[in-house]
Amino acid sequence: MVQQKSRTRAFLSLEIKSFYRFPIVECFVGVFTLLAFLNVLSVGSVTDFDVESPENLAGFLQSAASALLYLSVFPFMYLLVLLVPVLVSLVIAKPFEDGTIRTILTHPIKRSFLLLTKILITVVLPGTAATVALLLAIQFGFGIQPSVSQVALLVGSIWVFILSVASVTTLLSVISKKAATSATGGVVLWYSMVLLADLYGFPETARHVINPLSAALAYVLGGDGAPLLADVLVGLLGALSMAFVFIVVSIALFERSEI
Amino acid sequence: MRIARIVLVYGLVFVILSFLPGTVAYGGGGASEGSYVGTTFRALNDIWVEVDTDNETCHFSLYLLDYENTNKALQDGNLGDTEFLVAHTDIVAFSGVIRIPYSGVYSLVLTTQADFLWVHIRVTAVVPRIQLLVAGGGLILVVVVVMGLRIVILRSKAKATHQIGR
């Protein structure tokens, strides 16, 4: 047990030193923090000071907090669609291409564990950077405290969205074994899926499963046509299930593949 | 070492953000004797406020209220028991920086003795945003100090090892 823990730690350390060299992590941190703050630092929306209708103030606080959350998280969506497939391709497909996967496989660890660890790090890195950036923006850049449930929903949907993008690109990487192919495939596939999901007439549930982050953002922003919380949760669950299936298939293919 | 670099990135990003200009928020409306005209907004740091009217001979008073006092004034329906953070009385126009003590929701409220006055209020954030600049600068300073101390400690250790070697 102790030996296994030490092997796992050694593998994790090697993985981070090999694939997450300076400035990959730092770029993620910087870009997410910049994006989280970029649109929320202005004075933003205002409301009339009207003694005839004091309830306006409560409405203003609610709508302003929701709008700030939306503005803070919305840029993440397109950034994640671009960055996560590239990161997954570099970490999973590139070792196949340059042959370093042979060296990695000399570690006394299971292939399934190896792939799972790689996926986990590719999810944890952007997920943590995005979450910390959002929480910092709320602390320093909002001036109004949004509701905890809205923040939790958005953070959860960010992580699920990253996982689903990472899982599909992992499958592409394991099948193609080429970094450029899987990166381009992942970016093009997700970009078109995100754009397709915004088209009028696209099935609502499929839209929420493909892009749970967009559904959660629409729910937080509210207004006409905003989805119900139940719909958003169904989307999150669907995206999680989809990611699980893709990861299982990727592991099965990886275990059978000849290297 | 890695953590120091990440903290340094946070510091640099905060410094960059503190210098980014913001958009202008507009408010105002028609004011008359006994009525209140104003705008409620979110402010993170000092704001630049411009107030002008359609009649430059009419005088008005301008008050800045924090969230608690905004709430109180709205509930009471008047500014009677309200504490003002800033008050400019008997003016015909205003243009300048208003200090904001902490981030939150504020209201600029205007009263006049005139029969009718059309008021335009423009609010924008002042750059650099001191709160972010101090946070960013502080983080960079902490990293520089820690790295400096680390270098000093490593050098003294290396020196001690070198002397033992002799």
Side-chain angles (χ1 to χ4, degrees):
Chain A
M1 188 70 183
V2 175
Q3 204 176 13
Q4 193 157 356
K5 263 189 183 174
S6 131
R7 279 175 190 167
T8 308
R9 206 174 299 139
F11 174 67
L12 274 173
S13 167
L14 180 76
E15 181 75 9
I16 289 167
K17 277 178 188 161
S18 319
F19 295 103
Y20 298 91
R21 283 186 296 250
F22 178 79
I24 292 179
V25 180
E26 289 77 3
C27 280
F28 268 86
V29 166
V31 172
F32 275 106
T33 312
L34 199 69
L35 287 181
F37 277 86
L38 203 58
N39 295 318
V40 299
L41 290 174
S42 297
V43 174
S45 61
V46 298
T47 187
D48 289 339
F49 177 87
D50 189 0
V51 287
E52 302 296 324
S53 40
E55 68 280 359
N56 274 2
L57 184 63
F60 168 72
L61 289 179
Q62 177 60 38
S63 65
S66 303
L68 288 170
L69 273 175
Y70 181 88
L71 287 172
S72 216
V73 175
F74 182 75
F76 289 0
M77 196 161 68
Y78 292 98
L79 183 71
L80 289 172
V81 168
L82 286 173
L83 288 186
V84 173
V86 174
L87 186 68
V88 172
S89 307
L90 285 176
V91 171
I92 296 172
K94 201 160 184 293
F96 281 107
E97 212 174 317
D98 60 18
T100 48
I101 190 76
R102 288 186 199 136
T103 316
I104 295 168
L105 285 173
T106 57
H107 277 264
I109 48 167
K110 287 181 184 172
R111 282 191 180 194
S112 57
F113 178 79
L114 188 145
L115 194 64
L116 274 175
T117 311
K118 281 178 176 285
I119 297 169
L120 189 74
I121 300 175
T122 55
V123 173
V124 168
L125 170 62
T128 310
T131 307
V132 173
L134 179 63
L135 296 180
L136 283 173
I138 290 170
Q139 188 61 34
F140 290 108
F142 275 32
I144 300 173
Q145 288 300 316
S147 78
V148 176
S149 57
Q150 284 186 339
V151 177
L153 183 71
L154 282 179
V155 169
S157 61
I158 288 170
W159 282 78
V160 172
F161 186 56
I162 295 170
L163 184 66
S164 52
V165 175
S167 65
V168 174
T169 318
T170 302
L171 185 60
L172 285 174
S173 299
V174 171
I175 292 170
S176 72
K177 293 176 184 169
K178 288 201 175 355
T181 311
S182 55
T184 316
V187 171
V188 171
L189 181 75
W190 274 101
Y191 209 80
S192 38
M193 294 238 284
V194 166
L195 291 179
L196 263 178
D198 282 340
L199 286 180
Y200 180 75
F202 201 80
E204 198 82 358
T205 314
R207 179 188 300 182
H208 297 160
V209 171
I210 288 172
N211 192 346
L213 182 54
S214 174
L217 279 169
Y219 169 76
V220 165
L221 194 62
D224 294 336
L228 299 171
L229 180 61
D231 295 337
V232 178
L233 294 177
V234 166
L236 283 171
L237 210 64
L240 265 178
S241 314
M242 187 183 78
F244 177 76
V245 170
F246 281 125
I247 289 171
V248 168
V249 173
S250 302
I251 289 172
L253 288 174
F254 184 54
E255 291 207 324
R256 284 182 196 170
S257 65
E258 281 182 26
I259 293 161
Chain B
M1 190 65 185
R2 200 72 197 256
I3 289 172
R5 279 184 193 152
I6 291 171
V7 174
L8 194 67
V9 168
Y10 275 122
L12 288 172
V13 170
F14 283 173
V15 170
I16 292 168
L17 284 168
S18 72
F19 284 96
L20 289 183
T23 54
V24 183
Y26 296 92
S32 56
E33 192 173 357
S35 73
Y36 300 103
V37 170
T39 185
T40 301
F41 54 89
R42 178 183 61 94
L44 304 170
N45 56 303
D46 297 347
I47 48 170
W48 173 266
V49 177
E50 282 180 50
V51 181
D52 52 48
T53 63
D54 59 346
N55 187 345
E56 288 181 2
T57 58
C58 290
H59 289 233
F60 63 85
S61 300
L62 183 70
Y63 305 102
L64 179 73
L65 280 63
D66 62 5
Y67 173 68
E68 276 181 27
N69 282 292
T70 299
N71 219 348
K72 199 174 174 185
L74 287 173
Q75 296 299 330
D76 295 350
N78 60 62
L79 300 180
D81 294 328
T82 312
E83 284 178 29
F84 310 119
L85 292 173
V86 174
H88 293 282
T89 52
D90 217 18
I91 52 174
V92 291
F94 179 81
S95 175
V97 173
I98 292 184
R99 301 269 168 227
I100 295 292
Y102 47 86
S103 63
V105 173
Y106 292 87
S107 289
L108 274 170
V109 184
L110 188 143
T111 60
T112 182
Q113 303 286 323
D115 292 337
F116 189 80
L117 196 60
W118 196 260
V119 183
H120 307 277
I121 303 172
R122 282 178 293 278
V123 184
T124 186
V126 173
V127 287
R129 302 164 210 278
I130 300 299
Q131 200 183 11
L132 279 175
L133 188 63
V134 169
L139 288 176
I140 293 171
L141 192 69
V142 166
V143 172
V144 169
V145 169
V146 169
M147 296 305 282
L149 284 174
R150 189 170 172 261
I151 289 169
V152 169
I153 292 166
L154 285 175
R155 273 189 185 165
S156 63
K157 271 185 184 173
K159 208 174 172 184
T161 316
H162 186 68
Q163 279 173 350
I164 290 165
R166 276 183 184 177

